[in-house]
Amino acid sequence: HEMRVVCALLLCVAPAFAATYLEQHSFKNPFQEFDAFGKRVVPYWELSGHAFANKHFVRLTPDRQSKRGLMWNNQPIRTDAWSIVLEFRISGQGRTLFGDGLALWLLRGRNREGQFFGVTENFDGMGIVLDTFKNEELSHVHKDVLLLFNDGTADVTTRLDATLPGCLANYRYHEGRDDFSVSNVSLLKITYAKGRVVVKIDEAGSGSWKTCAITESIPLPDDWFKGAYLGLSASTGQLADNHDVLRMAFYELGPDDEEAPNFAETERTEEPSPPEKASDLPSLIESFTKKHISSVQKEMELMQATLEHQLTAVDDHSKTTIAKLQKQEDESKRRIAELEDRVNRIVDARLQALESALGQKIEAETGSWMMPFLMFAGVVAVAFVLAYRKYRYLIKQHLL
């Protein structure tokens, strides 16, 4: 009887899902692995463009204009029923002007870099686009979350209209707010099974999910996703934002599974209960101690993540400033070279005119006392020009 009660209790606290977590299609921070050159890497994933990995997040694009970043899973999908949960953060300094957005892809082959949120417009497969740029000309068809399909032959930008599945959602964070924190995140969930796609979003990472799109029949064969590759991309144009991804969980669904579990469900811990008798007190103290140690560790991790986020911004700003200064220095050198060339041409022209005038004067006054004087003046003028050129050369070589 006691054994049955224990078993019943275990069933009550056991998770209601049996989906299988596939590590080869997932990632999570902290990113602690490095390549031979000391650069952080994400296992099973390849980064390109302006994307780079920090310890606590992968930044697909910085808050700078005209950037594109991609990360592609190097393992093809081998299941035809799956669910994905992505934790991401889109944030920046712009209060009202920002863009362009982030996208999750399942494509035939790893798509090359392009203009459409980091990939080419004629992609082959399915994409879920998080579009933060509200173009006034297309405001009547704009959706913050958009589900797209393409067969690899057409330009998907010619098919954007109000009939496409998607929704409006407020998942972008303004870093200028006093209450902004690196703990501000959003969640995206995509589930596919038996030809049906469901897209949900948790705008503020609070556990409140909103269904954005449901497609009962996709324009792809039933087993199309077997062999497809999973990818993430982001881009900026004239407007910009930081596009960060923190973790992603890929689950293979069983026959009775509806969708992937949320991160909160997989990380749930039991609270210690009050002791029933004095002999349980030591174990309770140990349990509470572990709990508080875990709490302190989380606070330290948050501080580290905050510092990393701020230092990344400072580093990016420093690199941008140095690049601008270098460009200005190159432009200054070009203008100085043009000015020197112009001065040299003017000096040469005047010198030639002086030599010609001297020659004519010498011919006109041959034998007079002026001839030695004019010759001496010409020699002095030539020597002065040569000395001036030598002086400019030494200045350019930093020898004076």
Side-chain angles (χ1 to χ4, degrees), residues 39-40 47-54 57-62 312:
K39 188 176 181 180
R40 288 187 189 273
L47 278 61
S48 62
H50 295 97
F52 60 93
N54 289 303
F57 60 90
V58 174
R59 175 149 293 175
L60 295 175
T61 74
T312 301

Side-chain angles (χ1 to χ4, degrees), residues 81-357:
W82 45 262
S83 189
I84 302 169
V85 185
L86 172 69
E87 184 176 84
F88 67 95
R89 178 176 56 244
I90 299 177
S91 62
Q93 294 296 328
R95 182 182 297 275
T96 58
L97 298 175
F98 42 81
D100 286 334
L102 182 152
L104 185 149
W105 307 99
L106 290 110
L107 306 181
R108 281 293 180 188
R110 285 163 281 184
N111 195 278
R112 63 186 182 276
E113 185 178 327
Q115 298 287 341
F116 188 69
F117 295 93
V119 305
T120 56
E121 295 87 345
N122 60 337
F123 63 86
D124 184 8
M126 182 179 79
I128 298 88
V129 173
L130 304 171
D131 185 2
T132 57
F133 175 56
K134 295 176 174 59
N135 190 330
E136 292 185 2
E137 297 178 0
L138 299 174
S139 59
H140 61 292
V141 300
H142 174 83
K143 292 179 180 178
D144 298 308
V145 183
L146 194 60
L147 176 61
L148 297 173
F149 296 92
N150 202 5
D151 60 5
T153 62
D155 183 343
V156 73
T157 59
T158 63
R159 300 178 178 178
L160 300 179
D161 57 50
T163 64
L164 293 173
C167 70
L168 298 177
N170 183 22
Y171 49 75
R172 192 262 178 186
Y173 298 96
H174 176 219
E175 294 184 12
R177 290 173 58 102
D178 291 339
D179 59 354
F180 173 77
S181 167
V182 294
S183 60
N184 295 145
V185 296
S186 305
L187 300 170
L188 180 70
K189 182 183 290 188
I190 307 99
T191 303
Y192 171 79
K194 299 178 181 179
R196 185 174 188 261
V197 175
V198 179
V199 179
K200 297 181 179 181
I201 190 164
D202 180 357
E203 298 164 295
S206 61
S208 177
W209 289 89
K210 175 169 71 174
T211 300
C212 272
I214 299 178
T215 301
E216 298 293 345
S217 179
I218 65 173
L220 299 170
D222 292 340
D223 61 347
W224 187 91
F225 288 109
K226 283 189 174 181
Y229 284 86
L230 184 60
L232 294 160
S233 69
S235 66
T236 65
Q238 292 301 311
L239 303 176
D241 257 337
N242 292 316
H243 296 95
D244 301 336
V245 289
L246 289 80
R247 53 180 171 170
M248 184 165 70
F250 185 101
Y251 287 88
E252 181 178 10
L253 299 180
D256 300 325
D257 298 321
E258 293 184 1
E259 61 181 24
N262 301 327
F263 288 122
E265 293 175 312
T266 60
E267 297 170 349
R268 185 177 297 152
T269 57
E270 295 185 6
E271 293 290 329
S273 57
E276 296 181 359
K277 50 188 177 179
S279 60
D280 294 337
L281 186 59
S283 60
L284 182 64
I285 294 175
E286 181 182 0
S287 178
F288 271 105
T289 302
K290 289 181 179 179
K291 177 186 174 182
H292 286 293
I293 290 175
S294 176
S295 177
V296 172
Q297 288 176 337
K298 289 181 180 179
E299 289 293 331
M300 291 181 63
E301 289 174 0
L302 179 61
M303 292 175 60
Q304 289 177 356
T306 301
L307 182 60
E308 184 178 47
H309 187 275
Q310 294 172 346
L311 289 178
T312 301
V314 171
D315 181 62
D316 178 66
H317 180 73
S318 300
K319 289 179 179 178
T320 302
T321 302
I322 291 172
K324 288 181 179 179
L325 292 174
Q326 183 64 51
K327 185 176 180 180
Q328 292 176 357
E329 182 181 358
D330 293 341
E331 179 65 17
S332 298
K333 288 181 178 179
R334 184 188 65 80
R335 291 182 178 180
I336 291 173
E338 290 180 353
L339 182 60
E340 288 181 346
D341 184 61
R342 186 183 304 173
V343 170
N344 288 336
R345 288 199 302 269
I346 293 173
V347 171
D348 288 342
R350 292 186 178 180
L351 182 59
Q352 291 176 1
L354 178 60
E355 290 176 348
S356 176

